[in-house]
Amino acid sequence: HQDKKNEKVKVDKKNYITVEKFKKLLYQQGGKCKYCWKDCMKNKDYSLDRINCKTQHEYKNCVISCINCNKERSDKPFSRFLV
């Protein structure tokens, strides 16, 4: 949805993240936020955050984050926010 609203992001539906890949990310991160390590599964408080905000939601460009961290990060560079 955000990718469609952001005109700077080129959307390629064949590379867009699937539900299966989303679940794989969630499993790989142990259901925890990439930034604060909060248990996102407890209250279904998870979101899909893009590493590079100028690229669409692709598997290789996404991490699981809690909603608060996703909002806090906004479009800050991933590497700076991760520290």
Side-chain angles (χ1 to χ4, degrees):
H1 179 69
Q2 280 184 328
D3 294 341
K4 291 178 185 175
K5 289 193 316 186
N6 186 349
E7 294 176 7
K8 296 176 187 171
V9 175
K10 182 181 176 189
V11 177
D12 179 5
K13 290 184 180 182
K14 70 177 178 156
N15 290 324
Y16 209 77
I17 193 164
T18 62
V19 172
E20 292 79 22
K21 294 282 188 177
F22 173 78
K23 289 178 182 178
K24 184 177 178 180
L25 273 177
L26 203 54
Y27 175 77
Q28 286 175 333
Q29 288 181 215
K32 301 201 182 304
C33 174
K34 182 71 172 180
Y35 308 113
C36 71
W37 294 101
K38 172 184 167 185
D39 183 357
C40 295
M41 298 300 291
K42 195 172 191 176
N43 296 315
K44 294 187 179 180
D45 177 30
Y46 49 80
S47 63
L48 196 56
D49 190 31
R50 292 177 289 171
I51 296 168
N52 178 349
C53 295
K54 294 179 182 173
T55 304
Q56 70 179 5
H57 286 86
E58 296 178 4
Y59 177 72
K60 63 183 177 182
N61 187 45
C62 291
V63 295
I64 302 298
S65 70
C66 69
I67 293 169
N68 286 336
C69 283
N70 195 333
K71 287 179 182 177
E72 177 71 26
R73 180 180 168 232
S74 184
D75 61 352
K76 294 176 185 112
F78 179 77
S79 58
R80 278 198 245 153
F81 192 76
L82 195 57
V83 174

